[in-house]
Amino acid sequence: MKETRFKPAQHDAATPTTLSSEASFTDYFTFIIERADLKMSRGKLAAQCAHACRLSFLSFLNKSPGTIPSEADSSAFGSIVVLKAKSELQLKKLFELAQERDLPTHLFTDHGHVISGTVFDGQPVLTALAIGPVQRARIDDATRAFSCA
């Protein structure tokens, strides 16, 4: 199976990771990428995606302390988009690209708390990746290669 190759976005090193005063919270997205090849139940998959999203948001807070204004509400930090990766390798490549761009991200590994079945043998398994909140333009070139979940 052919793996997706990613081209780096064209932006200078001064592109901010943190919220800029010109950007609206609605300009920000969180991308969650699930492993479609694992055949997890919908509930288990939702939990894995939620773990990755929560930990990516914590990464955002660590990279950008003091960026959440008091007027932030449930619409703050834009939309959440769920995509699917065909393989662990595809997930890892996108994670590496997000790290190269210094984006808030988390690659979630399930450490044996998975539902037993034909896919899992009790070993840690990479299950989901979250990137963001981030301005869509910072990662859109790479996420376009994935289909919606």
Side-chain angles (χ1 to χ4, degrees):
M1 184 183 309
K2 186 178 178 187
E3 293 297 331
T4 305
R5 299 255 177 199
F6 303 109
K7 294 171 122 178
Q10 298 300 317
H11 64 277
D12 63 47
T15 304
T17 299
T18 60
L19 291 172
S20 68
S21 57
E22 305 86 43
S24 162
F25 287 120
T26 58
D27 294 335
Y28 284 75
F29 285 76
T30 298
F31 294 91
I32 303 171
I33 303 89
E34 64 183 45
R35 289 259 317 266
D37 61 322
L38 294 179
K39 311 288 189 253
M40 289 182 281
S41 70
R42 288 178 19 188
K44 182 65 179 177
L45 189 56
Q48 300 301 296
C49 291
H51 287 309
C53 188
R54 173 180 48 90
L55 293 167
S56 182
F57 190 74
L58 289 174
S59 172
F60 170 80
L61 293 176
N62 287 332
K63 288 178 179 285
S64 312
T67 57
I68 300 178
S70 58
E71 66 271 10
D73 61 15
S74 62
S75 65
F77 304 109
S79 298
I80 296 175
V81 179
V82 181
L83 305 170
K84 54 185 171 183
K86 295 176 184 173
S87 68
E88 179 179 315
L89 181 60
Q90 195 179 32
L91 206 64
K92 284 180 177 179
K93 285 182 178 184
L94 183 57
F95 176 66
E96 290 168 4
L97 181 65
Q99 286 187 313
E100 287 172 14
R101 295 182 185 180
D102 195 32
L103 301 176
T105 187
H106 189 83
L107 183 57
F108 189 74
T109 302
D110 193 308
H111 290 278
H113 302 288
V114 294
I115 298 170
S116 61
T118 59
V119 177
F120 299 108
D121 62 2
Q123 297 297 312
V125 177
L126 298 175
T127 56
L129 167 66
I131 303 169
V134 64
Q135 287 177 305
R136 186 175 193 154
R138 297 280 317 276
I139 196 70
D140 198 43
D141 62 314
T143 56
R144 270 189 257 145
F146 296 85
S147 59
C148 288

